Amino acid sequence: MKYPIKVLIIEDDPNICNLLELYLEKEGYNVLFADDGEVGLERYYDINPDFVILDIMLPVMDGWSVCREIRKDRNIPILMITGKGESYDRIKGLELGADDYVVKPFDPKEVIARIKAILRRTNPHFDSKDNIDLTDFTINMMEYKVFRKGKDINLPPRELELLYFLVSQPNQVFTRQQLLDSIWGYDFDGDSRTVDVHIKRIREKIGEEIHHWSLKTIRGVGYKFEVKTID
């Protein structure tokens, strides 16, 4: 998938739209809007976006109906947002074919991370220009490979995706639940210790770099990939 990726935001709250626009455009996305479900569906057919951010509670036509109609057309990535957190909403979103789900209020950085995670899952070429190169450490998402000091490190897909998620957002702390939602999906009902197990395995395989970068545990919170400035 080539930039600029077209993102259609169907949301009736202008503050949320402005906030998402700020972060999305900073990432290089082309952002378009609709403030009710009916107009949103019309714009979807007119502009043929690459990604849809869809609120559930919308005027004229609700997000469920919009999602249902979009899914009749094609399997475009859809991130649903809502002020409700009940499991019913999540289950219904899954049944209608939504790719992910966030609850208001949300961290826009987390939304960006989830969008990228969805695009990586749905389009194998999305990360072809987003490979990461650090000192003696490379992640190649095109080939799904990790190299440390030139050596190919064998990481299963889930471990690699978790590592990439953290490395691509250096120095940002993520809770275990945020990592579960972003990598395993919001419908995952397993234990949060799953993240701890995967982090332990990753550390055992890639090792630690004391002076330049570190996969750090933030006690009582979660994890971050810390990149240190070298003078």
Side-chain angles (χ1 to χ4, degrees):
M1 186 178 290
K2 298 180 180 180
Y3 288 105
I5 292 174
K6 291 186 291 184
V7 178
L8 173 61
I9 300 175
I10 308 176
E11 165 65 65
D12 63 334
D13 186 329
N15 293 324
I16 290 178
C17 289
N18 292 336
L19 182 64
L20 288 174
E21 180 181 30
L22 178 67
Y23 280 83
L24 286 164
E25 290 190 343
K26 185 177 179 181
E27 292 289 328
Y29 297 98
N30 183 8
V31 186
L32 305 104
F33 301 96
D35 58 7
D36 72 58
E38 189 172 85
V39 172
L41 195 57
E42 292 174 356
R43 287 210 161 180
Y44 164 78
Y45 289 119
D46 288 341
I47 67 176
N48 193 33
D50 302 300
F51 197 102
V52 174
I53 298 176
L54 177 61
D55 190 18
I56 291 177
M57 303 301 292
L58 290 168
V60 185
M61 185 179 188
D62 65 37
W64 302 128
S65 301
V66 175
C67 184
R68 189 178 295 109
E69 292 303 312
I70 289 175
R71 278 289 171 262
K72 290 178 182 178
D73 181 57
R74 64 188 175 103
N75 194 32
I76 182 176
I78 298 175
L79 174 67
M80 300 199 81
I81 57 176
T82 181
K84 297 179 179 179
E86 292 85 356
S87 60
Y88 168 78
D89 289 330
R90 299 185 179 209
I91 293 170
K92 188 168 183 178
L94 280 174
E95 291 175 342
L96 291 174
D99 294 274
D100 207 345
Y101 179 106
V102 291
V103 179
K104 302 175 189 176
F106 50 74
D107 182 344
K109 291 181 180 178
E110 182 184 352
V111 174
I112 295 297
R114 291 196 183 201
I115 289 172
K116 289 183 176 181
I118 293 169
L119 287 171
R120 285 197 297 273
R121 291 198 301 267
T122 57
N123 191 301
H125 302 296
F126 169 69
D127 275 323
S128 61
K129 295 183 179 179
D130 283 351
N131 295 333
I132 296 175
D133 290 296
L134 298 173
T135 302
D136 295 328
F137 181 65
T138 301
I139 300 178
N140 186 325
M141 291 303 291
M142 188 68 172
E143 298 180 4
Y144 253 61
K145 288 185 177 181
V146 176
F147 299 91
R148 178 78 201 277
K149 296 181 178 179
K151 180 182 178 182
D152 187 352
I153 306 298
N154 183 25
L155 293 183
R158 193 76 77 183
E159 290 178 15
L160 190 149
E161 289 166 5
L162 176 58
L163 178 62
Y164 180 86
F165 182 89
L166 290 166
V167 176
S168 64
Q169 297 162 95
N171 302 319
Q172 182 173 339
V173 178
F174 291 95
T175 66
R176 289 171 177 81
Q177 190 59 52
Q178 287 174 323
L179 293 172
L180 283 173
D181 290 345
S182 298
I183 306 302
W184 279 262
Y186 62 84
D187 57 321
F188 178 76
D189 59 0
D191 196 297
S192 64
R193 286 175 294 183
T194 297
V195 175
D196 301 334
V197 172
H198 280 70
I199 291 290
K200 181 175 182 292
R201 291 173 180 168
I202 291 170
R203 282 174 171 157
E204 290 172 349
K205 293 172 182 177
I206 68 171
E208 289 286 347
E209 175 60 56
I210 298 174
H211 301 294
H212 184 50
W213 55 262
S214 178
L215 186 52
K216 294 185 70 70
T217 300
I218 308 303
R219 189 175 299 276
V221 182
Y223 298 95
K224 74 172 179 178
F225 188 83
E226 183 178 83
V227 177
K228 304 170 186 177
T229 302
I230 300 177
D231 297 328

PDB file of all heavy atoms in Angstrom, residues 66-87:
ATOM      1  N   VAL A  66     -23.770   1.378   9.027  1.00  0.00           N
ATOM      2  CA  VAL A  66     -22.731   1.789   8.076  1.00  0.00           C
ATOM      3  C   VAL A  66     -21.734   0.656   7.876  1.00  0.00           C
ATOM      4  O   VAL A  66     -21.359   0.322   6.746  1.00  0.00           O
ATOM      5  CB  VAL A  66     -22.012   3.059   8.555  1.00  0.00           C
ATOM      6  CG1 VAL A  66     -20.849   3.395   7.621  1.00  0.00           C
ATOM      7  CG2 VAL A  66     -22.977   4.235   8.633  1.00  0.00           C
ATOM      8  N   CYS A  67     -21.292   0.044   8.977  1.00  0.00           N
ATOM      9  CA  CYS A  67     -20.338  -1.069   8.906  1.00  0.00           C
ATOM     10  C   CYS A  67     -20.912  -2.215   8.079  1.00  0.00           C
ATOM     11  O   CYS A  67     -20.219  -2.805   7.238  1.00  0.00           O
ATOM     12  CB  CYS A  67     -19.993  -1.541  10.312  1.00  0.00           C
ATOM     13  SG  CYS A  67     -18.739  -2.843  10.385  1.00  0.00           S
ATOM     14  N   ARG A  68     -22.159  -2.514   8.311  1.00  0.00           N
ATOM     15  CA  ARG A  68     -22.817  -3.608   7.579  1.00  0.00           C
ATOM     16  C   ARG A  68     -22.821  -3.347   6.072  1.00  0.00           C
ATOM     17  O   ARG A  68     -22.534  -4.250   5.268  1.00  0.00           O
ATOM     18  CB  ARG A  68     -24.245  -3.776   8.097  1.00  0.00           C
ATOM     19  CG  ARG A  68     -24.951  -5.019   7.565  1.00  0.00           C
ATOM     20  CD  ARG A  68     -26.334  -5.154   8.162  1.00  0.00           C
ATOM     21  NE  ARG A  68     -26.304  -5.393   9.598  1.00  0.00           N
ATOM     22  CZ  ARG A  68     -26.678  -4.506  10.526  1.00  0.00           C
ATOM     23  NH1 ARG A  68     -27.122  -3.307  10.157  1.00  0.00           N
ATOM     24  NH2 ARG A  68     -26.621  -4.812  11.809  1.00  0.00           N
ATOM     25  N   GLU A  69     -23.116  -2.105   5.674  1.00  0.00           N
ATOM     26  CA  GLU A  69     -23.158  -1.757   4.253  1.00  0.00           C
ATOM     27  C   GLU A  69     -21.766  -1.770   3.624  1.00  0.00           C
ATOM     28  O   GLU A  69     -21.589  -2.220   2.488  1.00  0.00           O
ATOM     29  CB  GLU A  69     -23.816  -0.382   4.069  1.00  0.00           C
ATOM     30  CG  GLU A  69     -25.294  -0.334   4.402  1.00  0.00           C
ATOM     31  CD  GLU A  69     -26.087  -1.334   3.577  1.00  0.00           C
ATOM     32  OE1 GLU A  69     -25.896  -1.378   2.344  1.00  0.00           O
ATOM     33  OE2 GLU A  69     -26.883  -2.094   4.170  1.00  0.00           O
ATOM     34  N   ILE A  70     -20.775  -1.286   4.377  1.00  0.00           N
ATOM     35  CA  ILE A  70     -19.403  -1.289   3.859  1.00  0.00           C
ATOM     36  C   ILE A  70     -18.924  -2.730   3.629  1.00  0.00           C
ATOM     37  O   ILE A  70     -18.292  -3.039   2.617  1.00  0.00           O
ATOM     38  CB  ILE A  70     -18.455  -0.558   4.832  1.00  0.00           C
ATOM     39  CG1 ILE A  70     -18.733   0.952   4.800  1.00  0.00           C
ATOM     40  CG2 ILE A  70     -16.987  -0.823   4.473  1.00  0.00           C
ATOM     41  CD1 ILE A  70     -17.932   1.757   5.805  1.00  0.00           C
ATOM     42  N   ARG A  71     -19.263  -3.599   4.558  1.00  0.00           N
ATOM     43  CA  ARG A  71     -18.831  -4.991   4.430  1.00  0.00           C
ATOM     44  C   ARG A  71     -19.485  -5.696   3.241  1.00  0.00           C
ATOM     45  O   ARG A  71     -18.932  -6.660   2.711  1.00  0.00           O
ATOM     46  CB  ARG A  71     -19.140  -5.750   5.719  1.00  0.00           C
ATOM     47  CG  ARG A  71     -18.078  -5.538   6.789  1.00  0.00           C
ATOM     48  CD  ARG A  71     -16.795  -6.261   6.398  1.00  0.00           C
ATOM     49  NE  ARG A  71     -15.691  -5.905   7.292  1.00  0.00           N
ATOM     50  CZ  ARG A  71     -14.768  -5.014   7.035  1.00  0.00           C
ATOM     51  NH1 ARG A  71     -14.793  -4.361   5.875  1.00  0.00           N
ATOM     52  NH2 ARG A  71     -13.798  -4.748   7.885  1.00  0.00           N
ATOM     53  N   LYS A  72     -20.618  -5.210   2.808  1.00  0.00           N
ATOM     54  CA  LYS A  72     -21.242  -5.760   1.612  1.00  0.00           C
ATOM     55  C   LYS A  72     -20.446  -5.392   0.366  1.00  0.00           C
ATOM     56  O   LYS A  72     -20.493  -6.088  -0.651  1.00  0.00           O
ATOM     57  CB  LYS A  72     -22.671  -5.235   1.455  1.00  0.00           C
ATOM     58  CG  LYS A  72     -23.657  -5.764   2.482  1.00  0.00           C
ATOM     59  CD  LYS A  72     -25.024  -5.147   2.250  1.00  0.00           C
ATOM     60  CE  LYS A  72     -26.036  -5.616   3.295  1.00  0.00           C
ATOM     61  NZ  LYS A  72     -27.367  -4.961   3.085  1.00  0.00           N
ATOM     62  N   ASP A  73     -19.695  -4.294   0.452  1.00  0.00           N
ATOM     63  CA  ASP A  73     -18.957  -3.783  -0.701  1.00  0.00           C
ATOM     64  C   ASP A  73     -17.568  -4.411  -0.800  1.00  0.00           C
ATOM     65  O   ASP A  73     -17.204  -4.986  -1.815  1.00  0.00           O
ATOM     66  CB  ASP A  73     -18.847  -2.267  -0.614  1.00  0.00           C
ATOM     67  CG  ASP A  73     -18.126  -1.659  -1.792  1.00  0.00           C
ATOM     68  OD1 ASP A  73     -18.567  -1.882  -2.933  1.00  0.00           O
ATOM     69  OD2 ASP A  73     -17.099  -0.975  -1.581  1.00  0.00           O
ATOM     70  N   ARG A  74     -16.785  -4.315   0.282  1.00  0.00           N
ATOM     71  CA  ARG A  74     -15.441  -4.902   0.278  1.00  0.00           C
ATOM     72  C   ARG A  74     -14.901  -5.012   1.699  1.00  0.00           C
ATOM     73  O   ARG A  74     -15.449  -4.446   2.647  1.00  0.00           O
ATOM     74  CB  ARG A  74     -14.470  -4.093  -0.598  1.00  0.00           C
ATOM     75  CG  ARG A  74     -14.176  -2.668  -0.133  1.00  0.00           C
ATOM     76  CD  ARG A  74     -13.377  -1.938  -1.188  1.00  0.00           C
ATOM     77  NE  ARG A  74     -13.155  -0.548  -0.869  1.00  0.00           N
ATOM     78  CZ  ARG A  74     -12.000  -0.059  -0.397  1.00  0.00           C
ATOM     79  NH1 ARG A  74     -10.978  -0.870  -0.204  1.00  0.00           N
ATOM     80  NH2 ARG A  74     -11.868   1.219  -0.132  1.00  0.00           N
ATOM     81  N   ASN A  75     -13.778  -5.696   1.816  1.00  0.00           N
ATOM     82  CA  ASN A  75     -13.209  -5.987   3.129  1.00  0.00           C
ATOM     83  C   ASN A  75     -12.183  -4.931   3.534  1.00  0.00           C
ATOM     84  O   ASN A  75     -11.033  -5.238   3.820  1.00  0.00           O
ATOM     85  CB  ASN A  75     -12.571  -7.380   3.127  1.00  0.00           C
ATOM     86  CG  ASN A  75     -12.282  -7.873   4.515  1.00  0.00           C
ATOM     87  OD1 ASN A  75     -13.000  -7.545   5.457  1.00  0.00           O
ATOM     88  ND2 ASN A  75     -11.225  -8.659   4.656  1.00  0.00           N
ATOM     89  N   ILE A  76     -12.601  -3.679   3.583  1.00  0.00           N
ATOM     90  CA  ILE A  76     -11.728  -2.580   3.963  1.00  0.00           C
ATOM     91  C   ILE A  76     -11.519  -2.587   5.473  1.00  0.00           C
ATOM     92  O   ILE A  76     -12.428  -2.934   6.232  1.00  0.00           O
ATOM     93  CB  ILE A  76     -12.350  -1.231   3.510  1.00  0.00           C
ATOM     94  CG1 ILE A  76     -11.431  -0.063   3.862  1.00  0.00           C
ATOM     95  CG2 ILE A  76     -13.729  -1.037   4.128  1.00  0.00           C
ATOM     96  CD1 ILE A  76     -11.947   1.273   3.359  1.00  0.00           C
ATOM     97  N   PRO A  77     -10.324  -2.226   5.969  1.00  0.00           N
ATOM     98  CA  PRO A  77     -10.100  -2.164   7.413  1.00  0.00           C
ATOM     99  C   PRO A  77     -11.010  -1.116   8.081  1.00  0.00           C
ATOM    100  O   PRO A  77     -11.132   0.009   7.601  1.00  0.00           O
ATOM    101  CB  PRO A  77      -8.629  -1.745   7.529  1.00  0.00           C
ATOM    102  CG  PRO A  77      -8.006  -2.172   6.251  1.00  0.00           C
ATOM    103  CD  PRO A  77      -9.069  -1.998   5.211  1.00  0.00           C
ATOM    104  N   ILE A  78     -11.635  -1.517   9.192  1.00  0.00           N
ATOM    105  CA  ILE A  78     -12.540  -0.632   9.929  1.00  0.00           C
ATOM    106  C   ILE A  78     -12.164  -0.649  11.407  1.00  0.00           C
ATOM    107  O   ILE A  78     -12.069  -1.711  12.031  1.00  0.00           O
ATOM    108  CB  ILE A  78     -14.008  -1.065   9.784  1.00  0.00           C
ATOM    109  CG1 ILE A  78     -14.447  -0.992   8.320  1.00  0.00           C
ATOM    110  CG2 ILE A  78     -14.917  -0.203  10.661  1.00  0.00           C
ATOM    111  CD1 ILE A  78     -15.854  -1.533   8.082  1.00  0.00           C
ATOM    112  N   LEU A  79     -11.940   0.539  11.967  1.00  0.00           N
ATOM    113  CA  LEU A  79     -11.728   0.709  13.401  1.00  0.00           C
ATOM    114  C   LEU A  79     -12.950   1.414  13.963  1.00  0.00           C
ATOM    115  O   LEU A  79     -13.252   2.544  13.579  1.00  0.00           O
ATOM    116  CB  LEU A  79     -10.470   1.542  13.658  1.00  0.00           C
ATOM    117  CG  LEU A  79     -10.196   1.927  15.110  1.00  0.00           C
ATOM    118  CD1 LEU A  79      -9.871   0.689  15.938  1.00  0.00           C
ATOM    119  CD2 LEU A  79      -9.059   2.935  15.197  1.00  0.00           C
ATOM    120  N   MET A  80     -13.666   0.766  14.883  1.00  0.00           N
ATOM    121  CA  MET A  80     -14.877   1.349  15.448  1.00  0.00           C
ATOM    122  C   MET A  80     -14.552   2.040  16.768  1.00  0.00           C
ATOM    123  O   MET A  80     -13.748   1.543  17.557  1.00  0.00           O
ATOM    124  CB  MET A  80     -15.949   0.284  15.658  1.00  0.00           C
ATOM    125  CG  MET A  80     -16.364  -0.406  14.371  1.00  0.00           C
ATOM    126  SD  MET A  80     -17.956  -1.267  14.467  1.00  0.00           S
ATOM    127  CE  MET A  80     -19.098   0.100  14.241  1.00  0.00           C
ATOM    128  N   ILE A  81     -15.169   3.207  16.997  1.00  0.00           N
ATOM    129  CA  ILE A  81     -14.985   3.945  18.237  1.00  0.00           C
ATOM    130  C   ILE A  81     -16.343   4.245  18.854  1.00  0.00           C
ATOM    131  O   ILE A  81     -17.321   4.463  18.146  1.00  0.00           O
ATOM    132  CB  ILE A  81     -14.198   5.258  18.026  1.00  0.00           C
ATOM    133  CG1 ILE A  81     -14.873   6.164  16.993  1.00  0.00           C
ATOM    134  CG2 ILE A  81     -12.777   4.962  17.617  1.00  0.00           C
ATOM    135  CD1 ILE A  81     -14.183   7.498  16.824  1.00  0.00           C
ATOM    136  N   THR A  82     -16.378   4.236  20.175  1.00  0.00           N
ATOM    137  CA  THR A  82     -17.640   4.461  20.860  1.00  0.00           C
ATOM    138  C   THR A  82     -17.396   4.905  22.287  1.00  0.00           C
ATOM    139  O   THR A  82     -16.303   4.731  22.822  1.00  0.00           O
ATOM    140  CB  THR A  82     -18.494   3.189  20.874  1.00  0.00           C
ATOM    141  OG1 THR A  82     -19.738   3.451  21.530  1.00  0.00           O
ATOM    142  CG2 THR A  82     -17.792   2.066  21.608  1.00  0.00           C
ATOM    143  N   GLY A  83     -18.423   5.465  22.900  1.00  0.00           N
ATOM    144  CA  GLY A  83     -18.349   5.839  24.294  1.00  0.00           C
ATOM    145  C   GLY A  83     -18.766   4.714  25.205  1.00  0.00           C
ATOM    146  O   GLY A  83     -18.717   4.823  26.424  1.00  0.00           O
ATOM    147  N   LYS A  84     -19.169   3.610  24.633  1.00  0.00           N
ATOM    148  CA  LYS A  84     -19.631   2.473  25.423  1.00  0.00           C
ATOM    149  C   LYS A  84     -18.538   1.414  25.511  1.00  0.00           C
ATOM    150  O   LYS A  84     -17.773   1.242  24.585  1.00  0.00           O
ATOM    151  CB  LYS A  84     -20.875   1.848  24.791  1.00  0.00           C
ATOM    152  CG  LYS A  84     -22.066   2.801  24.737  1.00  0.00           C
ATOM    153  CD  LYS A  84     -23.256   2.112  24.082  1.00  0.00           C
ATOM    154  CE  LYS A  84     -24.462   3.035  24.029  1.00  0.00           C
ATOM    155  NZ  LYS A  84     -25.629   2.381  23.378  1.00  0.00           N
ATOM    156  N   GLY A  85     -18.513   0.698  26.642  1.00  0.00           N
ATOM    157  CA  GLY A  85     -17.493  -0.321  26.813  1.00  0.00           C
ATOM    158  C   GLY A  85     -18.052  -1.700  27.049  1.00  0.00           C
ATOM    159  O   GLY A  85     -17.323  -2.604  27.420  1.00  0.00           O
ATOM    160  N   GLU A  86     -19.362  -1.868  26.891  1.00  0.00           N
ATOM    161  CA  GLU A  86     -19.969  -3.160  27.158  1.00  0.00           C
ATOM    162  C   GLU A  86     -19.495  -4.221  26.167  1.00  0.00           C
ATOM    163  O   GLU A  86     -19.206  -3.933  25.016  1.00  0.00           O
ATOM    164  CB  GLU A  86     -21.503  -3.057  27.087  1.00  0.00           C
ATOM    165  CG  GLU A  86     -22.127  -2.226  28.195  1.00  0.00           C
ATOM    166  CD  GLU A  86     -22.139  -0.742  27.877  1.00  0.00           C
ATOM    167  OE1 GLU A  86     -21.584  -0.374  26.821  1.00  0.00           O
ATOM    168  OE2 GLU A  86     -22.670   0.036  28.676  1.00  0.00           O
ATOM    169  N   SER A  87     -19.441  -5.451  26.642  1.00  0.00           N
ATOM    170  CA  SER A  87     -18.978  -6.541  25.780  1.00  0.00           C
ATOM    171  C   SER A  87     -19.912  -6.738  24.590  1.00  0.00           C
ATOM    172  O   SER A  87     -19.476  -7.199  23.535  1.00  0.00           O
ATOM    173  CB  SER A  87     -18.887  -7.847  26.582  1.00  0.00           C
ATOM    174  OG  SER A  87     -20.145  -8.204  27.118  1.00  0.00           O
TER     175      SER A  87
END
